[in-house]
Amino acid sequence: MNNFIQRCFTVLFLVFSSLILNAQNIDWQIRPGGADCDRLQRTLLLPDGGFLLGGWSYSDISGDKTANAKGEEDFWILRLDANKNVLWDKTIGGSDHDALSDMQLTSDGGFVAVGHSKSNISGDKLTNTFGDYDYWVLKFDANG
């Protein structure tokens, strides 16, 4: 009887182990980034099967970053095609802290990026702050 129970536990262990291992299959992965701190805040699935990734970055040109930082931290947006290749990336910011927190697609095929900014007029900032951090809302066409 003990041998039977031991075999049952062995079979159950093998079945559950197989299920757990099969559940951990990864279809694909990417790791965009630069040489410094980069943080993803939002991912949007696009109608063509591609992705729009948005967050903030301290990195200068390195890795997947094609533009130097404009300040302490900047909005960093990447457009991926359906095969997960980077089509373009945009670094948007002023001379101080600018961090993207969310994005939404718009009906015209573009998108809106929102976050906060401490930068005064500099880089891509067209207005000064009203104090410490202010909201920053930007509208882009489909090509960024």
Side-chain angles (χ1 to χ4, degrees):
M1 187 67 158
N2 282 342
N3 196 18
F4 175 75
I5 292 173
Q6 188 176 17
R7 279 192 220 151
C8 286
F9 278 121
T10 301
V11 169
L12 286 174
F13 174 77
L14 291 174
V15 168
F16 285 121
S17 296
S18 174
L19 291 174
I20 290 170
L21 290 174
N22 286 334
Q24 294 179 7
N25 288 342
I26 297 171
D27 289 335
W28 58 269
Q29 60 180 295
I30 60 170
R31 49 146 207 78
D36 209 328
C37 183
D38 309 302
R39 182 171 182 178
L40 179 67
Q41 291 295 109
R42 182 77 160 121
T43 303
L44 299 176
L45 176 61
L46 301 174
D48 65 0
F51 292 91
L52 199 59
L53 308 177
W56 50 264
S57 175
Y58 284 92
S59 296
D60 283 326
I61 296 172
S62 57
D64 299 297
K65 283 280 313 273
T66 62
N68 282 326
K70 297 180 180 188
E72 292 295 320
E73 65 194 341
D74 301 304
F75 283 35
W76 188 36
I77 302 169
L78 294 95
R79 169 69 162 89
L80 307 179
D81 66 15
N83 295 317
K84 312 336 171 255
N85 299 307
V86 177
L87 296 176
W88 52 258
D89 74 300
K90 302 288 181 186
T91 299
I92 303 106
S95 60
D96 211 321
H97 294 275
D98 308 299
L100 181 145
S101 57
D102 201 2
M103 296 185 305
Q104 290 294 319
L105 297 177
T106 55
S107 60
D108 63 359
F111 62 97
V112 173
V114 298
H116 63 266
S117 174
K118 193 174 181 180
S119 296
N120 284 314
I121 296 172
S122 58
D124 300 301
K125 277 296 294 289
L126 303 177
T127 59
N128 287 324
T129 62
F130 292 104
D132 196 13
Y133 286 95
D134 296 324
Y135 295 164
W136 197 21
V137 181
L138 302 157
K139 168 69 172 81
F140 297 88
D141 66 17
N143 296 316

